[in-house]
């Protein structure tokens, strides 16, 4: 096997044994590393940067970072120091790359071949966007989107629209959104968007803009390429375009984290704790079923650990006694709106939003 790539310097503090280094801007949490405590520790959380992360000088004086708020009655620049006076809220949220599960597409779409590890459950603290908007007189008339712009310095000589990270979500998403400065009990590390990050609970990872330098309420979606052509659910073989659905809310999903094929042969006659994670998008996860026969029959799993709110994931377990044999273990989640995790993936060119329970099933051997 090829030697594991070393951790890039700006994430040198990550736990190397818990992550797969795909590239200098993409790290994946190992499926065996998620544990059962609910929260994903920052040092094993996945990383996805579309552009190189900014220089660490931007976190030298975090409170001095400025964000422009536009599309409100009194638009202006605010520092993190000022934001901290306007409100405080904490939300636990699944952060998941829209391409998580791409690695299961037989078509091998271009992009990082994530299996399950481009996701984590993270606690974020910051000011509610709602409170910021209120302090600035409210959203201007006719604004239908909330558009966040990343603070990366863009290389010269390239059309900024072609590379900037700028995403629009429906303006209604501001109800639960935060401008966050803290994650898992510490200032947001540079790699994860510090000093200030837009958090849009229930939405796919790409919409959670790091190093946010502008938050604008806009009449139209951003015309940056990452919005207009990137992250679109394009038909297989097709190219992204603005007429196709954009990668926005997440869909109900679950997967098993133990046992895994790499757990080796399990002892016959003993009990096995089949455990994993389950979450919804805008609707909380309501229940999970587990199958030990590849989806022919299902049994209700039990949630364990605290309920950290509708945007967090739940850990689940099913205790089973497995006679010698080979088993295909699968999990299938349902959300409070009645959406059920589907058997098959929705085919699309870039391998987005794979929630197929069949793709996430694992084969284990008991002897
Ligand atoms: N932001 C910015 N500014 N930049 C970049 O690059 N990316 C995205 C988000 N945000 C970016 C941003 C993506 S794409 C994702 S996933 C996320 O982020 C991730 O996160 P972390 O923290 O994990 O790294 Mo896919 O859908």
């Amino acid at each position: 096997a090829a030697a594991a790539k070393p951790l890039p310097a700006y994430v040198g503090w990550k736990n190397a044994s818990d992550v797969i280094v795909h590239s200098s801007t993409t790290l994946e949490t190992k499926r065996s590393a998620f544990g059962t405590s609910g929260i994903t520790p920052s040092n094993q959380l996945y990383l996805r940067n579309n552009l190189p992360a900014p220089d660490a000088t931007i976190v030298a004086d975090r409170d001095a970072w400025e964000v422009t708020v536009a599309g409100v009655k009194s638009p202006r620049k605010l520092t993190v120091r000022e934001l901290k006076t306007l409100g405080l809220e904490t939300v636990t949220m699944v952060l998941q790359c829209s391409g998580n599960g791409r690695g299961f597409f037989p078509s091998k779409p271009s992009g990082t071949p994530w299996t399950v590890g481009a996701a984590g459950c993270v606690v974020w603290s910051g000011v509610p966007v709602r409170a910021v908007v209120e302090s600035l007189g409210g959203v201007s008339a006719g604004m239908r989107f909330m558009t966040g712009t990343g603070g990366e310095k863009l290389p010269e000589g390239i059309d900024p629209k072609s590379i900037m990270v700028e995403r629009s979500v429906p303006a209604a998403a501001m109800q639960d959104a935060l401008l966050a400065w803290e994650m898992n009990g510490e200032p947001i590390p540079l790699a994860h968007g510090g000093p200030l990050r837009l958090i849009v609970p229930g939405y796919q990872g790409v919409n959670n803009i790091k190093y946010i330098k502008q938050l604008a309420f806009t009449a139209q979606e951003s015309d940056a390429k990452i919005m207009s052509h990137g992250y679109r659910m394009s038909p297989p073989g097709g190219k992204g375009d603005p007429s196709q659905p954009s990668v926005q809310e997440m869909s109900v999903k679950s997967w098993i984290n133990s046992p895994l094929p790499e757990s080796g042969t399990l002892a016959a006659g003993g009990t096995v704790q089949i455990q994993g994670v389950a979450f919804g998008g805008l609707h909380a996860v309501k229940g999970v079923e587990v199958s030990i026969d590849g989806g022919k029959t299902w049994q209700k799993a039990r949630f364990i650990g605290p309920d950290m709110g509708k945007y967090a994931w739940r850990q689940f377990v099913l205790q089973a006694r497995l006679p010698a044999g080979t088993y295909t273990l699968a999990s299938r989640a349902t959300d409070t709106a009645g959406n059920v995790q589907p058997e098959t993936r929705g085919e699309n060119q870039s391998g987005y939003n794979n929630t197929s329970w069949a793709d996430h099933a694992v084969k284990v051997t008991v002897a």
Side-chain angles (χ1 to χ4, degrees):
K5 292 188 194 108
L7 287 169
Y10 71 116
V11 283
W13 50 273
K14 295 262 180 189
N15 194 346
S17 59
D18 288 340
V19 297
I20 303 156
V21 180
H22 288 290
S23 75
S24 62
T25 53
T26 48
L27 305 185
E28 174 166 10
T29 309
K30 287 185 183 165
R31 194 169 187 166
S32 56
F34 279 110
T36 51
S37 313
I39 298 303
T40 310
S42 304
N43 66 6
Q44 66 181 50
L45 182 67
Y46 83 100
L47 172 79
R48 160 65 166 136
N49 270 55
N50 299 59
L51 294 172
D55 192 86
T57 52
I58 72 164
V59 289
D61 184 358
R62 292 168 172 272
D63 283 349
W65 178 264
E66 292 180 322
V67 59
T68 300
V69 182
V72 291
K73 302 275 161 52
S74 314
R76 69 180 185 89
K77 259 187 193 165
L78 291 108
T79 59
V80 170
R81 190 175 288 109
E82 287 173 279
L83 290 174
K84 287 180 172 172
T85 68
L86 297 178
L88 182 63
E89 192 54 77
T90 293
V91 65
T92 306
M93 179 194 86
V94 174
L95 178 70
Q96 179 185 225
C97 182
S98 42
N100 199 27
R102 178 185 289 129
F104 297 126
F105 279 70
S107 55
K108 302 248 172 293
S110 70
T112 309
W114 316 105
T115 60
V116 299
C121 188
V122 178
V123 188
W124 306 93
S125 278
V127 60
V129 168
R130 234 183 313 108
V132 178
V133 165
E134 250 164 57
S135 81
L136 301 177
V139 173
S140 302
M143 301 311 185
R144 294 158 50 224
F145 299 95
M146 177 169 76
T147 300
T149 311
E152 287 101 338
K153 260 221 170 64
L154 305 177
E156 305 276 318
I158 306 178
D159 174 9
K161 295 272 179 196
S162 71
I163 50 166
M164 70 198 298
V165 177
E166 184 175 273
R167 293 281 303 174
S168 303
V169 294
M174 79 173 215
Q175 285 311 325
D176 287 340
L178 297 185
L179 284 169
W181 47 78
E182 184 177 305
M183 107 183 215
N184 290 347
E186 56 187 4
I188 300 178
L190 177 71
H192 294 295
L196 192 69
R197 181 170 192 173
L198 178 63
I199 291 301
V200 192
Y203 281 73
Q204 310 262 11
V206 66
N207 301 297
N208 296 268
I209 303 297
K210 309 187 202 189
Y211 342 102
I212 186 162
K213 69 164 190 200
Q214 179 168 284
L215 181 70
F217 292 88
T218 55
Q220 306 295 334
E221 278 183 3
S222 166
D223 59 355
K225 190 157 177 242
I226 193 173
M227 186 74 213
S228 59
H229 292 74
Y231 296 86
R232 295 277 165 178
M233 298 292 277
S234 5
K239 278 212 169 73
D241 78 52
S243 73
Q244 299 154 352
S246 179
V247 162
Q248 298 276 17
E249 310 94 69
M250 295 195 291
S251 308
V252 64
K253 183 168 178 179
S254 70
W255 63 79
I256 288 165
N257 285 324
S258 179
L260 296 174
E262 57 263 43
S263 316
T265 303
L266 305 168
T271 54
V272 181
Q273 308 295 328
I274 303 170
Q275 60 88 1
V277 295
F279 53 97
L282 293 179
H283 309 286
V285 63
K286 189 174 162 210
V288 188
E289 302 157 287
V290 166
S291 174
I292 59 169
D293 55 13
K296 288 192 205 77
T297 61
W298 296 91
Q299 300 173 62
K300 204 172 170 344
R302 187 168 60 85
F303 283 140
I304 55 170
D307 179 348
M308 291 178 281
K310 68 187 232 193
Y311 299 119
W313 64 28
R314 295 298 311 263
Q315 308 269 165
F316 65 84
V317 71
L318 178 79
Q319 174 168 305
R321 192 177 289 278
L322 305 176
T326 298
Y327 297 87
T328 299
L329 311 180
S331 65
R332 182 171 74 179
T334 303
D335 71 16
T336 54
N339 299 301
V340 182
Q341 187 180 351
E343 176 170 2
T344 51
R345 73 192 88 84
E347 295 297 342
N348 66 94
Q349 175 62 16
S350 302
Y352 293 130
N353 202 37
N354 189 352
T355 60
S356 154
W357 60 251
D359 280 1
H360 291 76
V362 292
K363 243 197 187 133
V364 297
T365 306
V366 179

